[in-house]
Amino acid sequence: MDSQLVNQLFRQLFRHHPACRSQKHLRHVATATAHSGHRVLQYHRRQQRRPYSSQRRGASSPVGDESQWQQRTKILNQDMTEEYKKAPMVTAAELWGRKQRPRRVKMLLRDFIEDSLYNPNYGYFSKQVTIFTPGEPFDFPNLRDETEFQNVLSQRYVDFEDKLDEVAPSDTRQLWCTPTELFRPYYGEAIARYLVANYKLTTYPYHDLIIYEMGAGRGTLMLNILDYIRDMDPDVYARTQYKVIEISDSLAKVQNSTLMRSAAGRGHLNKVEIINQSIFDWTQPVPSPCFFLAFEVFDNFAHDAIRYDLATETPMQAVVLISESNDFFEFYSPVLDPVAARYFRVRDAATGGRYKVPYPTTKLGKWVSSIRPLRSTMSEPEYIPTRLMQFFDVLSKYFPAHRLLTSDFHSLPDAVPGVNAPIVQTRYQRRPVPVTTPLVHQGYFDIMFPTDFRVSELVYQAITGKLSRVMSHEEFMRSWAYLEETETQSGENPLLKWYKNASVMYTV
């Protein structure tokens, strides 16, 4: 059960970390549970800007009618309504230049999540993340079975972090890996085959092969794709342009370093452009046909939280209040901000009103809910992918001739309560620590959402006007990978068996 005692335990957890020594109060209203390290390894992947300002108001603003706000907390019982009224409303963009985590402010949950993950001074991806690389590619045909692969991988994981600790010991290092790194170069080569085949079927030789990759991690996928095209199809390679869109300054530097590390990488320099900005700040039209890659990016797009009044089914949008003592409080209002309101309109039109909701919709279900003892007046939260909708808007407006290829998780274990709810976790002394709320100390926790591909595909089609297809990760790899390269002596194939909770969506 969540409690203030758990807050104290986590304050102890981070007490000795340099980035936290100046923080007197570390609050994240969460609980830790036991978790298998191997399970996290399989499921735990890889892998905007004005000065701080005061309150934002308007007829459609969630702060327009303070009397309708409902405070929502299971942890702290004090009434924070007056503090909420006084706190200025801010956005992640307005916090972009701040070096300290904000206090005495309120913001929509999607802004809180975006600030927590991407703020350049204290965000999770900006300051905390280290990308695991296993070193030399695994020689799968000479491994006995999947168990031996797991054992070798676990040892490489330990060796990798031991080397990091020799230089800079850390109890709170956030280490994650990607299928690109685990199955290098075979995973990237499968993507390259898809790109070359579809390029030749559509725009070759009238247009160049232009590839945009968003969130490229260490740049491994980029290198694997370019190496394959150069070696296997020199004519297509001569027409290839590869552009990385990377929000993180530190990862953009890593990607440049990856290119410069070897002679083979340096040979691609005239093919590559690394654009260090957020895709949501994009303003340059790209009329040419292009492929847009987004691998394990949707899961870290910010979401809004919606609860529904169980009597009226009125949606109520979450806003996070950050107190002077750095405690977090949820408030909910029936006045939706324009982005959330638009998502509901687009989703309803795209799906014909058929999607999962966190409250009973049948007469029997409503009756059972109404007689439940100690029942709440509000539903469990539904997390809606408003940032994903905005990404589709960018593709539609600035990349009208794009073909999207994306892969992400359609389900995740140990998620917090709610519909489409995220995993929220950190690492302490090399062990994963999952918690039960996204209201966590900014920058120290990964907040990772599943993607409902049935709904997201329909929203993508409605916004862009393009046709698409969704298939499982295994189906895609069976179509484009050379499976003998990742098959062990027992016949087991980790490339197919791992990431079974991932799907692939692509434009047709």
Side-chain angles (χ1 to χ4, degrees):
M1 179 183 298
D2 292 332
S3 67
Q4 293 191 60
L5 176 59
V6 176
N7 284 349
Q8 296 170 6
L9 292 176
F10 271 84
R11 286 199 296 273
Q12 287 291 113
L13 184 154
F14 289 115
R15 171 182 293 175
H16 301 294
H17 193 277
C20 296
R21 285 173 183 161
S22 62
Q23 301 291 335
K24 183 177 179 182
H25 299 286
L26 173 59
R27 318 275 188 181
H28 63 78
V29 295
T31 186
T33 60
H35 201 80
S36 162
H38 170 63
R39 189 178 188 185
V40 169
L41 183 61
Q42 292 199 41
Y43 289 112
H44 184 57
R45 74 279 167 256
R46 317 172 296 281
Q47 164 143 183
Q48 273 174 321
R49 307 173 169 74
R50 290 169 294 180
Y52 179 81
S53 67
S54 59
Q55 191 165 350
R56 178 186 66 184
R57 294 187 180 276
S60 61
S61 169
V63 299
D65 185 356
E66 305 289 0
S67 65
Q68 297 188 66
W69 279 98
Q70 294 189 33
Q71 181 178 337
R72 179 79 180 184
T73 176
K74 298 179 181 179
I75 315 303
L76 304 171
N77 295 322
Q78 65 262 43
D79 185 357
M80 299 296 292
T81 304
E82 290 304 313
E83 288 80 354
Y84 169 80
K85 290 179 180 179
K86 296 175 183 177
M89 190 78 169
V90 300
T91 67
E94 292 165 341
L95 296 173
W96 188 259
R98 285 178 59 90
K99 297 185 182 300
Q100 301 296 325
R101 295 167 177 81
R103 301 190 184 204
R104 293 182 297 175
V105 299
K106 59 194 173 193
M107 64 186 82
L108 294 171
L109 181 68
R110 72 167 181 267
D111 285 302
F112 178 84
I113 292 173
E114 183 137 340
D115 185 57
S116 298
L117 293 178
Y118 298 109
N119 186 285
N121 297 302
Y122 50 78
Y124 180 80
F125 286 102
S126 303
K127 297 299 180 183
Q128 301 300 332
V129 166
T130 300
I131 303 175
F132 166 71
T133 177
E136 290 297 315
F138 292 99
D139 185 4
F140 289 97
N142 285 321
L143 294 176
R144 183 176 61 256
D145 52 22
E146 185 179 346
T147 299
E148 185 177 3
F149 167 61
Q150 293 171 353
N151 292 337
V152 173
L153 175 59
S154 296
Q155 186 58 52
R156 291 196 189 184
Y157 216 87
V158 171
D159 293 343
F160 179 83
E161 199 154 14
D162 284 346
K163 291 180 181 178
L164 294 177
D165 280 341
E166 290 175 4
V167 177
S170 174
D171 282 340
T172 57
R173 180 182 295 114
Q174 305 301 303
L175 192 65
W176 43 260
C177 62
T178 71
T180 298
E181 297 289 350
L182 292 183
F183 300 107
R184 186 180 90 250
Y186 316 115
Y187 186 91
E189 290 175 353
I191 305 302
R193 291 186 194 100
Y194 167 88
L195 294 172
V196 171
N198 282 274
Y199 168 60
K200 286 186 170 181
L201 286 172
T202 54
T203 60
Y204 178 79
Y206 306 107
H207 296 275
D208 286 348
L209 172 56
I210 304 175
I211 304 167
Y212 284 86
E213 183 185 0
M214 180 172 61
R218 296 176 58 89
T220 302
L221 180 63
M222 168 184 67
L223 278 185
N224 293 161
I225 289 174
L226 290 173
D227 285 347
Y228 179 86
I229 298 175
R230 180 179 58 191
D231 296 343
M232 304 306 296
D233 204 323
D235 291 339
V236 171
Y237 182 75
R239 305 289 302 272
T240 299
Q241 303 174 40
Y242 204 105
K243 303 175 187 291
V244 172
I245 303 173
E246 178 56 64
I247 188 174
S248 168
D249 294 347
S250 59
L251 287 178
K253 293 176 182 176
V254 169
Q255 292 151 15
N256 272 304
S257 176
T258 298
L259 276 174
M260 299 300 296
R261 187 174 300 125
S262 66
R266 291 191 294 272
H268 299 310
L269 283 175
N270 66 332
K271 299 291 183 182
V272 175
E273 180 182 5
I274 297 176
I275 305 166
N276 186 195
Q277 72 172 79
S278 168
I279 185 62
F280 299 105
D281 293 333
W282 196 271
T283 58
Q284 181 66 41
V286 180
S288 300
C290 62
F291 290 88
F292 204 104
L293 310 183
F295 288 88
E296 295 172 36
V297 173
F298 292 178
D299 52 11
N300 286 125
F301 275 166
H303 287 52
D304 277 290
I306 302 292
R307 291 181 188 262
Y308 297 83
D309 184 306
L310 292 178
T312 65
E313 298 181 3
T314 300
M316 306 179 77
Q317 187 173 8
V319 166
V320 180
L321 170 66
I322 306 176
S323 71
E324 170 62 29
S325 58
N326 204 30
D327 281 316
F328 305 127
F329 300 84
E330 286 179 285
F331 285 78
Y332 283 83
S333 170
V335 182
L336 303 181
D337 93 301
V339 176
R342 177 169 175 259
Y343 177 80
F344 281 120
R345 293 194 301 271
V346 172
R347 180 178 67 173
D348 194 68
T351 64
R354 294 184 293 275
Y355 46 83
K356 187 177 181 180
V357 292
Y359 56 84
T361 57
T362 65
K363 289 184 178 180
L364 177 60
K366 292 178 180 179
W367 177 78
V368 171
S369 177
S370 69
I371 64 173
R372 188 179 305 158
L374 301 176
R375 67 184 182 276
S376 171
T377 60
M378 297 172 68
S379 72
E380 287 288 327
E382 176 191 8
Y383 294 90
I384 59 172
T386 40
R387 214 47 165 150
L388 178 58
M389 176 189 69
Q390 292 177 317
F391 169 63
F392 293 155
D393 288 336
V394 172
L395 289 181
S396 178
K397 182 176 181 179
Y398 296 112
F399 300 85
H402 78 274
R403 293 168 64 92
L404 177 64
L405 176 62
T406 182
S407 178
D408 231 305
F409 300 103
H410 56 253
S411 65
L412 291 168
D414 303 318
V416 307
V419 172
N420 199 40
I423 290 176
V424 185
Q425 68 177 16
T426 188
R427 286 178 89 241
Y428 181 63
Q429 295 182 344
R430 302 193 182 188
R431 296 183 63 84
V433 183
V435 299
T436 61
T437 172
L439 302 187
V440 288
H441 189 59
Q442 302 98 312
Y444 281 91
F445 292 79
D446 191 5
I447 305 173
M448 180 170 123
F449 293 87
T451 298
D452 184 339
F453 277 95
R454 186 190 74 83
V455 172
S456 295
E457 180 187 25
L458 294 174
V459 170
Y460 169 75
Q461 293 175 353
I463 291 175
T464 65
K466 294 180 179 291
L467 297 178
S468 59
R469 183 184 177 190
V470 174
M471 62 171 56
S472 70
H473 173 269
E474 179 178 347
E475 288 176 312
F476 184 86
M477 287 300 155
R478 286 190 181 278
S479 298
W480 298 104
Y482 289 166
L483 296 181
E484 63 273 13
E485 295 177 331
T486 54
E487 185 174 281
T488 64
Q489 293 174 359
S490 68
E492 295 174 302
N493 196 318
L495 179 63
L496 301 180
K497 292 188 65 176
W498 288 41
Y499 297 96
K500 281 188 172 293
N501 61 329
S503 294
V504 176
M505 185 175 82
Y506 57 91
T507 307
V508 297

